[in-house]
Amino acid sequence: MLQVSALSSDPQAAIEIAAQHAPYLSSLVKRTTQADAPESLLQEAHALCDAVILGETDPKSALRQAKLRAHLAITAMDVSGHSSVPETTEMITRFADAATTAALCAARRDLDAEGAGLFIVALGKMGAFELNYSSDIDIAAFYDPDLFQAGPRGLDDTAVRIIRRMIGYLSDRTPDGYVFRTDLRLRPDPSSTPLAVSTRRAALYYESVGQNWERMVWIKGRIAAGDHAAGERFVSALDPFIWRRHLDYWAIADVHAIKNMINSKVGEISLSDPAADLKLGPGGIREIEFFVQTQQIIFGGRHPDLRVRGTLEGLQRLVALGTVTSETARELSEAYLALRAVEHRIQMIDDEQTHTLPDFDAKREHVAALCGYNDLQQFDADIAATRRCVNAHFHALFADEARRHAKAVEGNLVFTGVDDDPATIETLRHLGFKAPSETIERVRHWHRGRTPATRTTRGRELLTAILPDLLAAMGRTGEADEAFRRFSRFFEGLRSGVQVLAMLVANTDLMEDLVTTLALAPRIADILARRPGLLEALVSTGDRKPEPTLTPGMDFETLMNTVRHWHGERAFLTGHQLLHGQIHAVDAAADWSALADTSVELMAAAAEAETQRRFGPAPGQWLVVGLGKLGGREMTAGSDLDILVIYEPAPGAENVQAWFTRFTQRLIAGLSAETAEGFLYEVDMRLRPSGRAGPVATSIKAFESYHGRDAWTWEHMALTRLRSISGSSELAARVTAIAEQAIQVGDAGTRTDDILEMRKRLFRDKPAAGDWDLKMRAGGLIDIEFITQHAILTAQIAQSLCPELRAAHQQLRDSGVWTADEYDVIAQAFSLLQSLQQVQRVAHAGAMVEADLSIALKDRLCRATGCDGFDALSERLKQTCQDVSAVFCKKIGNPATETRGSSV
């Protein structure tokens, strides 16, 4: 084990020896002319602070001269063995208190401000009288608004001005150096609070979103300067936050997780590294501090004896309680003292806030010499042995808990505090994160309760428990930053996080599934954020819930919510199965379409019942027909519903149009209105006769008349995809016959000209967003539809209505309208483009460009189409669309020219 010995029993001789190895100490000796005893120099340092308090000298100059004397005196006593490590750290801390008090007094005097109610809390090592040689001082400034006198500037502004001036006196570099670097980031919510925080605001913060790591910080909190009485009242009021008498399972698990975030797995090389970080690295000082503090947090609420600030004192109190053996306490105490002594000597060399031994042997030899070693190899070996001892005890702490929750990540994952932990940055980089600091800051944002999911203590504790597995899963997607961004989008959209996080903690397979799904599909992230309960569908025993039963007497809004809840689960499961390759694109289209059919049937029945309840029995028969993707059974995730409502009046019926208009309006509301359970579909009825200007419900007589005499070519194109969905079967047969008659009557040349002109307008007015705009790109799905509809409308033979494109393609081949080669081109192209669009629409809403395609989504698109890689897929897509465009030009014409192609 490491043993640090005195360089000489004579302080003057010891400091001269030390100065040979430490440039900073050498400069101190040269700049301090007096050869006073260390005790006298330290008294002079405190006297200079007192002079600043009394306003008798320039604050900046006096405090820096005081620092030189204090450092020289404390170093001389340390390296000569006249002071122990605890005595050394206490002397440094007492001087820090004196300097902070002096700087605060000078700042108040500069601004002519009273001191009542304003105070400085020492946290971290300063709070525990454990400052190291070149420590930053962790402080937080508060004011009691009932006591603090602000004057005309207001409380916040005046307090902040004082603290900023105080910081300048301590931290500004002058020719005489600086006194202490100050860090105020341990105050409540430092990114959104001023440098000086109202005690009311601070109390509210700790009561509502204070975290366990902040409780650990406040174990060491004490008043260092300012109004001590006001400060003591504030610190005492925080006792219920710091020392919780009863901790539930999740609070304890959160403390365990804080401990386990540090060096979950440490290799032999890391522990033997001679250039070790003695504070943050494995087997370092922080592991000893956490060993003590985690147990203080867990047991201190019931055992007041544990409520002490010092690390070594806390360790002995744990022995007295019986939670730590005397042998463990002895080994950790010896290691702590030795590592702190070496830490001081590292900092003596250049007065830098570093805890890492030098890489180069020649530099590390100076540290070894300051520790009393003349053999670097022995020094390195003793350091390594000490670190192994500490690390073994650290990992034995909560060992059973650690085994139950084995961590998925090797390395540090520390999101507590305010600084980015260097080892955590390296761990995240190893997982594949390219912007680890942004990830760390986002997680801190969540831990501070700035998103609804973590506004409760339970939510924050569950987040801590799941983070290692969550980040590891993101790394496995191949795009960790993007996976994290999409999870953030989902997570920050949750109204409450406890239920979802508890599910993920209990079921890591579900967590892995969620991360993968979100990496593939940001659209699903939005859906799940609005309806997190859909996750339960993935762990339910059955794949499919039966369609809901609409009981008589159920009110219309309840009916809408019932159908929406069922629809949401079914739609989510279909999308999930498609994304993960559990069903093919053609099966997904059939599922989406069947889901839409059932939704229309259910809501049409509900709309009929509601209209009958309010306006009497239906005055005739009605029919809902589908067009477009609904008619063709080619629905995708997020497809609109193109529908028509057609009716036939009963003989002698009155108010027929009014009744069926009300029925249709209720049907549209039932399908598209937003409720607590969301909505089902956007409904498009523009394909009805006369478009938006016509009535929402059309009589069969008007339907037949319009399509027999007045319809445009594009309306007859739409009829090729007509399919009856719900309503009278007799009416359905008549409507089908009317459609078949309408599409077979017309001039082939005129229809060809019309279709070509329509495509030209689309090229001009709605150009494709890029190669991955599968619908609108040249040779894409719109061209396949146009080619198919053109063939149907210009064929000179009788045909039955085939709304599904695959069936229509086969009919055109079998009837001789298309050649076998033409059929192969169109059928294969449709199969490829539908497979791509089905996956694409689950992942993203609307058209996409290649930049929208993540690595995971590219891989899924390749698997959906049987391509070996994305380059091969892109080339196949390009060639396929060129082949379709060639057929288009041959059959209809070139959309970029006026040349008509040959008619069929």
Side-chain angles (χ1 to χ4, degrees):
M1 290 284 283
L2 186 66
Q3 296 289 332
V4 178
S5 58
L7 302 182
S8 169
S9 60
D10 175 44
Q12 184 66 32
I15 197 69
E16 290 175 0
I17 295 170
Q20 297 172 20
H21 301 282
Y24 173 66
L25 294 183
S26 177
S27 71
L28 279 187
V29 171
K30 291 175 183 176
R31 293 164 68 188
T32 308
T33 55
Q34 298 183 27
D36 293 345
E39 293 82 1
S40 299
L41 278 175
L42 192 57
Q43 288 175 2
E44 290 177 20
H46 281 274
L48 284 167
C49 292
D50 291 341
V52 172
I53 292 172
L54 296 173
E56 297 173 350
T57 185
D58 174 62
K60 279 193 174 179
S61 176
L63 289 176
R64 281 148 186 76
Q65 290 299 319
K67 186 258 183 91
L68 295 178
R69 286 165 170 74
H71 257 194
L72 189 60
I74 293 169
T75 302
M77 286 187 275
D78 183 0
V79 297
S80 65
H82 281 221
S83 63
S84 64
V85 170
E87 290 169 339
T88 298
T89 61
E90 181 171 353
M91 284 188 287
I92 296 170
T93 306
R94 295 288 182 192
F95 175 70
D97 285 2
T100 302
T101 299
L104 180 62
C105 288
R108 286 204 331 263
R109 188 165 48 248
D110 290 347
L111 297 170
D112 195 24
E114 298 294 329
L118 181 66
F119 55 91
I120 305 297
V121 178
L123 299 166
K125 286 183 169 61
M126 184 177 179
F129 291 96
E130 294 173 349
L131 282 179
N132 55 45
Y133 194 75
S134 296
S135 272
D136 294 355
I137 55 174
D138 290 310
I139 57 176
F142 300 94
Y143 66 86
D144 184 335
D146 294 328
L147 299 175
F148 185 56
Q149 300 297 312
R153 292 187 179 276
L155 296 176
D156 269 355
D157 186 54
T158 301
V160 166
R161 285 171 177 268
I162 292 171
I163 299 306
R164 189 171 285 124
R165 184 69 63 93
M166 179 196 80
I167 292 170
Y169 282 139
L170 293 172
S171 300
D172 287 352
R173 289 187 176 271
T174 73
D176 293 325
Y178 70 99
V179 189
F180 286 99
R181 291 173 292 263
T182 57
D183 191 339
L184 283 87
R185 291 175 298 166
L186 291 180
R187 70 186 185 274
D189 200 3
S191 62
S192 61
T193 54
L195 290 177
V197 183
S198 156
T199 53
R200 290 176 189 162
R201 182 173 182 177
L204 180 62
Y205 170 85
Y206 290 122
E207 287 170 9
S208 57
V209 296
Q211 300 165 58
N212 278 321
W213 72 265
E214 290 174 302
R215 295 171 57 220
M216 292 166 67
V217 164
W218 275 92
I219 289 175
K220 298 184 176 185
R222 65 175 179 83
I223 308 307
D227 187 337
H228 279 251
E232 293 294 349
R233 286 193 297 271
F234 174 71
V235 172
S236 295
L238 288 185
D239 271 359
F241 162 69
I242 304 168
W243 307 109
R244 289 165 60 181
R245 184 168 182 81
H246 300 290
L247 295 182
D248 61 21
Y249 167 78
W250 289 109
I252 295 173
D254 184 53
V255 175
H256 292 177
I258 291 172
K259 174 262 178 187
N260 287 330
M261 280 194 295
I262 302 175
N263 304 110
S264 162
K265 301 171 185 175
V266 178
E268 182 67 21
I269 293 176
S270 180
L271 280 167
S272 302
D273 182 6
D277 185 331
L278 299 186
K279 176 183 178 182
L280 304 177
I285 294 164
R286 185 167 62 176
E287 289 190 355
I288 302 173
E289 293 171 337
F290 267 58
F291 182 95
V292 177
Q293 289 172 308
T294 51
Q295 296 184 83
Q296 284 181 290
I297 284 296
I298 290 173
F299 302 118
R302 297 188 304 272
H303 301 281
D305 286 349
L306 291 178
R307 302 176 190 180
V308 294
R309 299 187 182 96
T311 300
L312 295 181
E313 186 179 2
L315 196 51
Q316 293 307 315
R317 298 291 180 93
L318 290 169
V319 172
L321 185 64
T323 63
V324 173
T325 67
S326 58
E327 179 65 15
T328 295
R330 181 188 64 78
E331 291 183 351
L332 287 177
S333 296
E334 290 176 359
Y336 179 79
L337 293 171
L339 292 172
R340 291 303 308 274
V342 178
E343 179 186 45
H344 286 176
R345 281 146 182 78
I346 293 171
Q347 295 175 355
M348 287 174 187
I349 293 176
D350 290 310
D351 190 27
E352 291 180 348
Q353 174 68 338
T354 180
H355 318 275
T356 303
L357 287 161
D359 282 331
F360 298 109
D361 289 357
K363 289 187 176 182
R364 203 164 60 258
E365 282 175 350
H366 288 300
V367 180
L370 287 169
C371 295
Y373 281 79
N374 54 21
D375 182 341
L376 180 61
Q377 189 174 359
Q378 185 62 52
F379 175 73
D380 289 344
D382 288 354
I383 288 280
T386 301
R387 293 173 63 217
R388 287 193 194 93
C389 174
V390 171
N391 192 249
H393 287 302
F394 181 72
H395 284 291
L397 182 65
F398 312 137
D400 291 339
E401 182 71 19
R403 279 190 288 272
R404 283 196 298 272
H405 301 281
K407 190 176 165 195
V409 177
E410 182 171 344
N412 277 25
L413 279 179
V414 178
F415 301 97
T416 59
V418 291
D419 286 320
D420 291 354
D421 174 53
T424 298
I425 289 177
E426 288 305 310
T427 299
L428 291 173
R429 284 194 178 125
H430 179 72
L431 289 174
F433 288 85
K434 293 182 175 61
S437 290
E438 293 178 15
T439 301
I440 292 170
E441 183 55 36
R442 203 75 197 157
V443 172
R444 284 203 197 104
H445 176 92
W446 295 341
H447 274 303
R448 289 172 186 143
R450 291 189 189 157
T451 191
T454 56
R455 282 185 186 150
T456 66
T457 301
R458 176 79 179 280
R460 294 190 293 276
E461 291 165 350
L462 286 166
L463 175 65
T464 301
I466 196 65
L467 263 177
D469 288 316
L470 195 61
L471 294 168
M474 292 171 183
R476 286 190 288 273
T477 67
E479 289 181 300
D481 296 277
E482 184 64 15
F484 182 83
R485 186 182 68 81
R486 291 183 181 176
F487 178 84
S488 299
R489 188 174 176 182
F490 156 72
F491 188 63
E492 293 175 8
L494 296 175
R495 293 174 185 168
S496 171
V498 170
Q499 179 185 5
V500 170
L501 287 170
M503 288 171 61
L504 299 182
V505 168
N507 188 334
T508 55
D509 288 342
L510 177 63
M511 180 273 302
E512 185 89 30
D513 188 295
L514 173 65
V515 170
T516 304
T517 300
L518 297 181
L520 283 166
R523 179 178 176 273
I524 289 185
D526 292 337
I527 293 171
L528 286 175
R530 292 193 301 270
R531 295 189 60 191
L534 290 174
L535 281 176
E536 295 180 2
L538 298 181
V539 294
S540 60
T541 53
D543 276 354
R544 292 280 189 265
K545 281 192 173 183
E547 65 184 62
T549 302
L550 306 184
T551 59
M554 188 182 290
D555 68 87
F556 192 63
E557 186 171 349
T558 301
L559 287 168
M560 288 197 296
N561 280 325
T562 301
V563 174
R564 279 157 174 71
H565 184 82
W566 164 80
H567 176 279
E569 287 199 359
R570 286 287 300 269
F572 174 70
L573 282 172
T574 296
H576 179 270
Q577 291 172 335
L578 176 63
L579 273 180
H580 292 275
Q582 296 166 0
I583 58 174
H584 296 295
V586 65
D587 301 319
D591 283 355
W592 297 120
S593 301
L595 183 59
D597 284 1
T598 304
S599 298
V600 170
E601 290 172 7
L602 291 170
M603 293 318 305
E608 181 181 43
E610 179 69 5
T611 310
Q612 287 179 340
R613 183 184 69 81
R614 299 185 63 181
F615 303 104
Q621 302 179 87
W622 56 265
L623 175 70
V624 180
V625 299
L627 301 160
K629 286 186 180 295
L630 175 62
R633 290 192 173 93
E634 292 150 15
M635 294 285 286
T636 65
S639 286
D640 294 351
L641 294 185
D642 290 305
I643 62 173
L644 296 177
V645 175
I646 301 171
Y647 67 88
E648 182 175 41
E654 297 180 352
N655 298 318
V656 176
Q657 184 65 55
W659 194 98
F660 283 109
T661 295
R662 289 163 178 147
F663 161 74
T664 305
Q665 289 169 339
R666 278 162 180 75
L667 172 61
I668 295 170
L671 291 169
S672 62
E674 186 89 26
T675 75
E677 292 285 345
F679 77 103
L680 298 176
Y681 299 96
E682 295 286 350
V683 175
D684 189 341
M685 300 190 74
R686 289 175 296 175
L687 293 176
R688 67 187 185 269
S690 302
R692 290 191 180 95
V696 291
T698 304
S699 72
I700 189 169
K701 182 178 179 180
F703 179 79
E704 182 175 24
S705 173
Y706 182 82
H707 283 287
R709 295 183 305 179
D710 301 323
W712 296 81
T713 298
W714 68 266
E715 291 174 299
H716 285 158
M717 292 168 70
L719 284 187
T720 66
R721 314 212 70 194
L722 181 145
R723 180 172 63 88
S724 299
I725 306 296
S726 179
S728 166
S729 58
E730 177 189 343
L731 197 55
R734 292 174 59 192
V735 168
T736 300
I738 292 169
E740 288 178 345
Q741 175 67 22
I743 63 178
Q744 294 179 61
V745 176
D747 178 70
T750 300
R751 284 179 165 178
T752 299
D753 287 342
D754 288 346
I755 293 171
L756 181 59
E757 181 58 32
M758 286 173 58
R759 189 62 180 106
K760 287 180 180 180
R761 285 202 305 272
L762 287 174
F763 266 123
R764 183 180 64 248
D765 300 337
K766 294 184 67 176
D771 289 347
W772 286 91
D773 187 343
L774 301 174
K775 179 179 179 181
M776 300 306 298
R777 68 166 291 172
L781 286 165
I782 196 72
D783 282 353
I784 290 175
E785 283 196 43
F786 276 29
I787 292 168
T788 306
Q789 291 163 341
H790 170 266
I792 294 170
L793 292 178
T794 58
Q796 302 301 312
I797 57 175
Q799 303 172 78
S800 61
L801 195 62
C802 283
E804 298 176 48
L805 285 180
R806 278 187 172 82
H809 295 160
Q810 291 171 357
Q811 180 171 270
L812 291 167
R813 179 197 61 185
D814 294 345
S815 63
V817 175
W818 283 352
T819 67
D821 288 344
E822 289 167 346
Y823 167 80
D824 287 343
V825 168
I826 300 302
Q828 291 171 18
F830 178 66
S831 178
L832 173 68
L833 291 170
Q834 186 188 45
S835 295
L836 292 172
Q837 191 186 54
Q838 281 290 343
V839 176
Q840 187 189 77
R841 289 289 174 86
V842 171
H844 287 265
M848 291 173 56
V849 296
E850 188 170 336
D852 295 324
L853 302 175
S854 65
I855 291 174
L857 184 53
K858 287 178 179 178
D859 177 68
R860 180 66 194 94
L861 291 171
C862 290
R863 286 190 288 120
T865 54
C867 289
D868 291 336
F870 189 71
D871 288 343
L873 173 59
S874 297
E875 184 58 33
R876 182 180 169 190
L877 175 63
K878 177 182 176 182
Q879 186 60 54
T880 297
C881 291
Q882 287 175 350
D883 293 345
V884 171
S885 292
V887 174
F888 190 102
C889 291
K890 174 185 174 184
K891 296 290 184 181
I892 306 172
N894 189 336
T897 71
E898 297 297 328
T899 303
R900 181 197 300 177
S902 60
S903 62
V904 178

